[in-house]
Amino acid sequence: ENYTDDNSAFDVAIEFETDEGAKGIWGIECKYTDTFSSKVYDKPAYRNIYDTNRSLFTASYEDCISPHYNQLFRNHLITLALSQNKKFDIAFSGLFCHQDDNKAIEIGKKFQKFFVGGEKSFRIVTYADYISTIQRLSEITWGQREWSMLLWARYCAQQLSEVIAR
């Protein structure tokens, strides 16, 4: 469903179930080399979802739609709509980015402060955090371990690109 009345969508959506049987979703914005949108987006659907969930926000609507945060905000609105429409019991959004992308991490940390419960509503995971967590798991298959190494090679192994560029 198009809750935000636009083309907003998660880059990645992870559906999960808790040990207690609650259904959850984590909607993620991935930043590889691109920057956040510099355009202000504002639609009645955004305001409606924001107003319905106003008690969950510490930030004003105007702050949320500002160019630095609007991409993250629109993703978060989708999670709120999924939750309020009873599609999921738990819904939160997040940012997945390179560990050295200080600008994206800074924007993500500021965005976390827009919510009551901050980190519970919006989570930041870096490639390094994710890959090292996967690699420490003892119960993963070789294929899963290899997949995490390919993720590292594609998005973190800048030294491999430097060798080719010489």
Side-chain angles (χ1 to χ4, degrees), residues 88-150:
F88 293 92
D89 305 306
I90 303 164
F92 55 93
S93 64
L95 172 65
F96 186 50
C97 63
H98 194 279
Q99 59 276 8
D100 293 333
D101 189 345
N102 295 323
K103 186 165 177 89
I105 292 169
E106 177 186 335
I107 289 170
K109 285 182 177 180
K110 287 180 182 175
F111 189 68
Q112 275 179 333
K113 294 178 182 175
F114 284 17
F115 307 102
V116 175
E119 206 171 302
K120 291 181 181 178
S121 297
F122 181 81
R123 302 195 180 156
I124 302 166
V125 176
T126 66
Y127 304 158
D129 292 338
Y130 181 76
I131 293 166
S132 61
T133 298
I134 294 289
Q135 288 292 324
R136 283 193 304 269
L137 296 173
S138 60
E139 299 296 318
I140 64 172
T141 65
W142 174 251
Q144 292 166 321
R145 193 170 301 282
E146 188 176 55
W147 176 83
S148 71
M149 290 184 284
L150 290 170

Side-chain angles (χ1 to χ4, degrees), residues 1-9 41-43 45-46 70 74-75 77-78:
E1 293 185 46
N2 191 350
Y3 295 111
T4 53
D5 193 30
D6 64 8
N7 292 323
S8 294
Y41 291 89
D42 188 9
K43 289 193 171 264
Y46 306 167
N70 69 59
R74 288 180 287 139
N75 271 1
L77 291 176
I78 297 169

Side-chain angles (χ1 to χ4, degrees), residues 55-67:
S55 64
L56 303 176
F57 285 89
T58 60
S60 70
Y61 179 77
E62 289 70 27
D63 287 339
C64 292
I65 63 170
S66 72

